[in-house]
Amino acid sequence: MKKRINMKFTLVLLLIGFMIAVQYNSLENPEKRDTRDIWAIRQELAEEKKMHVELLSEVRELDRTISSYRSLEETSAGQALKETVDKLREKAGTTDIVGPGIVIEVRPSAESVAYGIPITSISSDLLTRFVNDVNRFKGIDMEIDGKRYNILSSIRVINGYTSVNGLNVSTPPFTIKIISQTITDSEKLYNYLLASSIHDDFYLDNLVLDIHPPEEDIMIRGWPEQFENLYLNELSKGD
């Protein structure tokens, strides 16, 4: 009888101890709540939908390319492959392109000129911030001080000077060219940059952005570096 009472008492103590441990763990590690407002959540959802649309567009483009290969005769397959390579070179930024866009002049502020404040090379952080701000708009091509900027490009500090693709960016003034897919896209980018807070960041560095209205035909040069084929070898005919 005494053993049975001790066993019941022990089970009760274990149950109480387990409940205390669970309560203590919930107090120490409370469930994290999403404190964002509805607009922040909607903005994130809009970004996800935009990315989804872009991925679907790329999948459709690849499907069209595959269908064209299947429908062409063997004699025309080489031409189709060449056209695909040309498109890839254009996306990689190795070719000159002409299209609607805007020209932006980065120059010293009037106050810095009036007071004789020396202007040095634009900081890499400021230039990177500008590029990231512009890249909110998809499907654009950019040239910074005559240097093509694309996904393969880099902005670094070399020997104290800001460089793009390993080439020094000129001390202001210099120009930035941005080409969009349509003139409407260029107008949207133009209006966005006019109202952007990026102007304040440039002004703190004694620089201003002079944004010219959109134009129909702007040319930017291709990336001068050529891709080297290190692993692929052409097979002889009949292999």
Side-chain angles (χ1 to χ4, degrees):
M1 184 70 178
K2 187 175 181 181
K3 290 183 178 180
R4 186 176 300 174
I5 294 175
N6 290 337
M7 184 177 297
K8 292 181 178 179
F9 184 71
T10 302
L11 291 174
V12 171
L13 290 178
L14 287 174
L15 181 60
I16 294 174
F18 176 75
M19 294 175 64
I20 294 175
V22 171
Q23 181 68 19
Y24 177 78
N25 184 65
S26 63
L27 292 175
E28 287 293 316
N29 302 295
E31 183 180 356
K32 293 183 179 180
R33 298 179 58 188
D34 194 341
T35 57
R36 297 174 298 172
D37 58 26
I38 187 64
W39 292 107
I41 297 175
R42 290 181 64 178
Q43 183 177 3
E44 183 175 348
L45 180 60
E47 291 293 332
E48 293 294 334
K49 286 185 176 180
K50 187 176 180 180
M51 184 180 299
H52 180 67
V53 171
E54 292 174 356
L55 290 175
L56 286 178
S57 177
E58 292 181 4
V59 169
R60 292 192 188 99
E61 181 66 25
L62 292 175
D63 286 340
R64 283 194 292 267
T65 302
I66 294 174
S67 298
S68 65
Y69 287 160
R70 290 175 176 173
S71 61
L72 291 174
E73 297 180 358
E74 185 177 353
T75 55
S76 303
Q79 179 62 27
L81 181 60
K82 181 180 181 302
E83 292 176 357
T84 302
V85 172
D86 291 340
K87 289 182 180 179
L88 292 175
R89 289 185 182 277
E90 183 176 345
K91 288 184 178 180
T94 61
T95 59
D96 298 345
I97 62 173
V98 178
I102 60 176
V103 176
I104 303 170
E105 184 180 0
V106 181
R107 55 182 177 81
S109 64
E111 291 80 3
S112 63
V113 174
Y115 289 104
I117 300 175
I119 301 298
T120 57
S121 174
I122 184 174
S123 69
S124 60
D125 291 338
L126 180 58
L127 187 57
T128 300
R129 197 176 308 134
F130 172 82
V131 170
N132 291 338
D133 200 29
V134 170
N135 278 334
R136 296 171 181 266
F137 294 80
K138 303 299 181 181
I140 63 172
D141 295 279
M142 191 183 316
E143 179 186 278
I144 302 174
D145 189 31
K147 304 161 186 62
R148 184 69 173 271
Y149 185 91
N150 56 27
I151 58 175
L152 300 176
S153 301
S154 60
I155 299 176
R156 295 192 179 95
V157 177
I158 301 178
N159 296 327
Y161 293 93
T162 299
S163 66
V164 175
N165 300 331
L167 302 175
N168 290 346
V169 176
S170 302
T171 301
F174 63 86
T175 58
I176 299 175
K177 298 179 181 179
I178 305 175
I179 290 181
S180 303
Q181 294 181 346
T182 64
I183 190 65
T184 302
D185 293 335
S186 296
E187 291 173 352
K188 291 180 180 179
L189 176 59
Y190 171 75
N191 293 326
Y192 172 79
L193 289 176
L194 285 181
S196 175
S197 60
I198 194 70
H199 291 273
D200 297 333
D201 298 328
F202 275 80
Y203 193 75
L204 290 175
D205 282 6
N206 299 314
L207 298 173
V208 294
L209 294 175
D210 187 6
I211 306 172
H212 298 191
E215 301 178 22
E216 286 286 353
D217 296 314
I218 290 178
M219 188 190 78
I220 61 177
R221 289 174 286 183
W223 201 35
E225 297 292 334
Q226 297 297 323
F227 295 105
E228 295 184 4
N229 182 13
L230 301 178
Y231 305 104
L232 299 178
N233 295 314
E234 183 179 0
L235 294 176
S236 59
K237 294 183 178 180
D239 290 346

